């Protein structure tokens, strides 16, 4: 059962950066067409650097863990660095091997962040 | 107990597979695969065209398939149109009916998107009114709402829900719609694989089904339409085979059912579907439904108390179990079951209006068919326990 290893379960059960920002620079809501799940990402960007980020939404373990790990990773990174982050790099961070359907759950937060940054 | 697993090569090639996604599509018995192979290897050519021997053989096989389907539905062969699937059948009907702004379309919140969106679009295009029969708490059609059928001109509903397995009172609904003078369109994609269907007894005007959900190949579906309606209505797609005569000034249409079959059809698919129907008839629909209900009742009985099941008791539905494991997302349940070689569906099942009406975004769905057994239901429930243990916070 390689999808639900320690890392994924830890981030799913105790997600980082869950909540809302008071004055976000960018906010983006993204829906997963497969299940109708929705994630909202809020970013505080100063001088092209992500100072803070929060996410909200109900979802499966993969999308929550992905949002938790990804939001933690992008804090302090430049907008350019984040925009160049590939799908493969995110999957590698999660340390899982994921099929064509569930990959959409994993990538949903990244899609929201990239679309938020325009 | 029916034991048919040996008839399905997929289980020989995947001996650990527990396939419980039969409401999405079904596996194929050897007899269906053999029928298609025999056609391609021994009789293949186009239909209704060549005067040579091989083309006559292909035409005969194709038309025999139509006759088998007609007999299966108690229709006449000219009322059986081969399409790609139920979705195309319903879209065909929505495209040929003379609906205008004074009409009233009635649909239901139970309908699959394929029998929901075409009517929504038609209403937007024509400015015809559209109303929906709503659902009761047990996900059945709300009887109180049947009076919405008053003054309806088109009534499109589903014979059995793909999301919950609920069987609708089709005969009663059609009678009420007829009293209002409405044309009736019934989506039988989910019911035809499990229930005997008699279009004369139902007295519906149109009925749609998909071959792949009833042991047949993909890419073949059926539209039944009453002959006197199909004769009067305009064609849908135009092209080869549906033509009588073409001149620069005008074109006239072929006889039924060819008027609605433009282009070279899915010949092998039709032959395969007819063979699938024969397979089901050999088992018998009474036997089949009893087998599925037996499995569903067993599942209901042994499900842990942290599983919420949606829909009515097994006796009022097909062998479909729509549920959620409390505190676990449907996709995670399905992934954990997959790690045990158990295939179920998770998501909205192309029935978002239905799930919204029940206050849900997604559910897990296990659906049983002819090759499933109690041992598999037990493994399925064991895996649900694993998903609960792994993922509940």
């Amino acid at each position: 059962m390689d999808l639900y290893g320690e890392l994924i379960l830890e981030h799913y059960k105790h997600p980082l950066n869950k909540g809302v920002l008071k004055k976000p620079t960018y906010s983006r809501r993204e829906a997963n067409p497969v299940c109708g799940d929705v994630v909202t990402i809020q970013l505080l960007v100063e001088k092209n650097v992500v100072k803070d980020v929060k996410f909200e939404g109900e979802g499966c373990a993969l999308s929550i863990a992905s949002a938790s790990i990804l939001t933690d990773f992008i804090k302090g990174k430049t907008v350019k660095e984040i925009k160049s982050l590939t799908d493969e790099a995110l999957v590698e961070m999660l340390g899982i091997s994921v099929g064509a359907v569930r990959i959409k759950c994993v990538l949903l937060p990244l899609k929201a962040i990239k679309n938020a940054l325009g | 107990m029916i034991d048919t697993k040996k008839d399905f090569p997929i289980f020989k090639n995947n001996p650990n597979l527990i396939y419980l996604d039969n409401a999405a599509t079904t596996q194929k018995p050897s007899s269906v695969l053999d029928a298609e192979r025999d056609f391609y290897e021994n009789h293949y050519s186009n239909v209704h065209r060549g005067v040579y021997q091989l083309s006559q053989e292909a035409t005969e096989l194709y038309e025999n398939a139509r006759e088998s389907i007609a007999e299966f539905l108690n229709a006449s062969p000219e009322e059986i149109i081969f399409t790609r699937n139920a979705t195309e059948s319903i879209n065909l009907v929505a495209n040929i009916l003379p609906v205008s702004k004074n009409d009233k379309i009635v649909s239901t919140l139970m309908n699959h998107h394929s029998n929901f969106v075409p009517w929504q679009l038609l209403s937007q295009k024509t400015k015809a009114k559209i109303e929906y029969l709503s659902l009761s708490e047990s996900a059945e059609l709300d009887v109180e709402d049947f009076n919405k059928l008053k003054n309806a001109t088109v009534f499109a509903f589903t014979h059995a829900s793909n999301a919950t397995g609920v069987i609708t009172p089709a005969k009663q609904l059609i009678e009420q719609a007829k009293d209002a003078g409405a044309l009736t369109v019934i989506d039988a994609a989910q019911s035809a694989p499990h229930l005997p269907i008699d279009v004369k007894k139902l007295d519906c005007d149109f009925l749609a089904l998909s071959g792949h959900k009833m042991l047949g190949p993909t890419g073949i579906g059926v539209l039944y339409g009453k002959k006197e309606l199909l004769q009067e209505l305009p064609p849908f797609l135009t092209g080869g085979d549906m033509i009588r005569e073409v001149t620069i000034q005008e074109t006239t249409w072929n006889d039924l059912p060819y008027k609605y079959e433009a282009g070279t059809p899915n010949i092998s698919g039709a032959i395969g579907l007819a063979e699938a129907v024969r397979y089901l008839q050999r088992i018998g629909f009474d036997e089949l439904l009893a087998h599925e209900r037996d499995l569903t009742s067993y599942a209901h009985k042994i499900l842990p108390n942290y599983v919420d099941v949606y829909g009515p008791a097994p006796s009022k539905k097909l062998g479909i179990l729509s549920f959620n494991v409390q505190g676990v997302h449907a996709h995670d349940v399905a992934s954990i079951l997959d790690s045990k070689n158990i295939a179920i569906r998770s998501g909205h099942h192309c029935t978002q209006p239905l799930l919204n009406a029940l206050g849900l975004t997604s559910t897990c769905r296990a659906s049983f068919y002819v090759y499933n057994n109690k041992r598999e239901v037990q493994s399925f429930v064991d895996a649900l326990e694993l998903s609960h243990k792994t993922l509940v916070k």
Side-chain angles (χ1 to χ4, degrees):
Chain A
M1 207 200 310
D2 38 26
L3 274 185
Y4 301 99
E6 250 176 71
L7 180 71
I8 297 288
L9 288 180
E10 177 57 28
H11 279 272
Y12 167 58
K13 291 179 182 176
H14 309 286
L16 306 169
N17 305 315
K18 196 134 194 259
V20 286
L21 291 177
K22 272 198 186 127
K23 285 184 179 171
T25 324
Y26 303 105
S27 184
R28 177 80 186 191
R29 184 178 178 274
E30 208 70 52
N32 183 344
V34 183
C35 57
D37 281 349
V38 173
V39 65
T40 302
I41 298 265
Q42 295 189 313
L43 296 141
L44 181 69
V45 178
E46 280 170 17
K47 291 180 186 159
N48 272 319
V49 172
V50 172
K51 292 285 179 196
D52 202 1
V53 53
K54 295 271 186 207
F55 79 95
E56 254 202 330
E58 293 304 311
C60 61
L62 292 191
S63 68
I64 300 289
S66 172
S68 173
I69 290 168
L70 182 63
T71 49
D72 191 43
F73 175 79
I74 65 169
K75 265 192 209 172
K77 298 271 187 309
T78 65
V79 169
K80 201 178 157 200
E81 282 172 315
I82 295 165
K83 280 189 177 171
S84 66
L85 190 65
T86 63
D87 296 353
E88 293 75 17
L90 174 60
V91 173
E92 205 169 306
M93 264 188 254
L94 269 61
I96 53 174
S97 129
V98 62
V101 177
R102 293 306 303 277
I103 188 92
K104 295 196 176 103
C105 312
V106 170
L107 298 179
L108 191 66
L110 181 60
K111 196 174 168 193
I113 288 171
K114 283 190 174 174
N115 284 337
L117 294 172
Chain B
M1 272 312 239
I2 302 177
D3 178 22
T4 56
K5 250 195 170 66
K6 57 182 186 330
D7 299 339
F8 293 77
I10 192 120
F11 297 117
K12 196 175 145 218
N13 298 326
N14 300 270
N16 298 321
L17 171 66
I18 297 180
Y19 185 79
L20 303 179
D21 195 17
N22 296 290
T25 195
T26 56
Q27 302 298 340
K28 317 303 170 199
S30 301
S31 59
V32 168
L33 304 173
D34 291 345
E36 285 199 276
R37 173 170 282 272
D38 173 65
F39 168 61
Y40 279 120
E41 289 186 348
N42 297 303
H43 313 283
Y44 182 74
S45 73
N46 212 330
V47 291
H48 307 140
R49 310 279 204 292
V51 295
Y52 51 88
Q53 175 64 27
L54 208 55
S55 178
Q56 290 184 44
E57 286 175 26
T59 303
E60 216 164 280
L61 284 167
Y62 183 62
E63 291 309 324
N64 286 347
R66 193 191 310 276
E67 273 174 39
S68 299
I69 304 300
E71 203 180 303
F72 169 62
L73 297 174
N74 193 22
S76 79
E78 55 201 331
E79 296 175 312
I80 299 299
I81 296 154
F82 283 122
T83 60
R84 272 193 305 145
N85 44 39
T87 299
E88 184 179 297
S89 300
I90 295 163
N91 275 275
L92 191 165
V93 178
N95 272 278
I96 60 172
L97 291 184
V99 170
S100 64
K101 71 173 181 343
N102 298 322
D103 288 311
K104 177 170 128 179
I105 302 166
V106 178
S107 170
T108 88
L109 297 185
M110 189 189 283
N111 288 17
H112 187 280
H113 292 170
S114 61
N115 194 23
F116 191 94
V117 182
W119 306 111
Q120 194 179 46
L121 273 181
L122 184 63
S123 143
Q124 286 166 1
K125 211 165 67 183
T126 59
K127 307 276 190 296
K129 208 170 156 190
I130 188 159
E131 287 185 15
Y132 300 96
L133 302 189
S134 53
L135 303 178
S136 69
E137 257 175 46
S138 56
E140 294 170 278
L141 288 179
D142 186 355
V143 183
E144 306 268 298
D145 249 10
F146 288 8
N147 58 14
K148 283 184 182 160
L149 288 171
K150 228 168 147 185
N151 304 322
T153 39
V154 180
F155 176 44
F157 72 108
T158 181
H159 198 191
S161 162
N162 69 302
T164 61
V166 165
I167 301 167
T168 59
K171 181 100 182 91
Q172 183 196 345
L173 285 164
I174 290 167
E175 267 170 26
Q176 269 184 256
K178 291 269 154 206
D179 287 346
L183 289 170
T184 51
V185 185
I186 176 162
D187 173 7
Q190 205 59 55
S191 58
H194 311 277
L195 305 172
I197 288 178
D198 184 326
V199 290
K200 293 231 164 63
K201 270 196 197 145
L202 282 172
D203 196 25
C204 55
D205 295 304
F206 301 97
L207 181 138
L209 61 84
S210 282
H212 71 94
K213 285 191 202 280
M214 46 193 298
L215 309 180
T218 53
I220 188 76
V222 171
L223 172 66
Y224 157 81
K226 268 188 189 156
K227 184 179 162 185
E228 55 269 31
L229 288 168
L230 293 178
Q231 273 172 336
E232 294 305 317
L233 288 164
F236 172 44
L237 299 176
T238 55
D241 216 25
M242 53 80 63
I243 295 301
R244 178 176 309 285
E245 199 178 7
V246 181
T247 65
I248 292 172
Q249 287 76 30
E250 67 162 357
T251 300
T252 51
W253 316 126
N254 200 341
D255 293 333
L256 291 177
Y258 313 113
K259 173 180 165 187
Y260 288 101
E261 290 184 3
T264 293
N266 183 351
I267 311 165
S268 68
I271 292 167
L273 176 57
E275 195 55 47
V277 164
R278 278 190 280 278
Y279 184 94
L280 290 170
Q281 285 169 331
R282 277 198 296 275
I283 288 169
F285 280 92
D286 289 346
E287 192 92 353
L288 179 60
L289 191 61
H291 173 72
E292 292 167 12
R293 286 217 167 119
D294 197 27
L295 296 179
T296 317
S297 302
Y298 182 59
H300 272 250
K301 205 173 87 191
I302 64 170
L303 279 176
N305 56 11
Y306 49 76
V307 174
D308 295 326
V309 180
Y310 312 106
S315 62
K316 292 171 92 175
K317 63 176 186 176
L318 299 174
I320 290 180
L321 202 64
S322 199
F323 66 95
N324 274 312
V325 176
Q326 289 168 9
V328 187
H329 193 281
H331 277 348
D332 292 324
V333 175
S335 282
I336 287 190
L337 265 59
D338 179 48
S339 73
K340 298 285 174 198
N341 283 310
I342 302 169
I344 64 158
R345 177 77 182 267
S346 55
H348 54 57
H349 320 297
C350 299
T351 55
Q352 283 184 311
L354 184 153
L355 289 198
N356 287 342
L358 298 179
L360 302 164
T361 36
S362 61
T363 74
C364 303
R365 182 187 67 189
S367 45
F368 309 114
Y369 208 22
V370 56
Y371 31 67
N372 295 123
N373 57 46
K374 277 193 178 166
R375 188 182 47 77
E376 293 179 329
V377 177
Q378 184 64 58
S379 303
F380 157 71
V381 172
D382 292 345
L384 290 183
E385 282 174 17
L386 177 67
S387 76
H388 186 253
K389 207 174 87 192
T390 312
L391 285 164
V392 162
K393 293 180 201 177

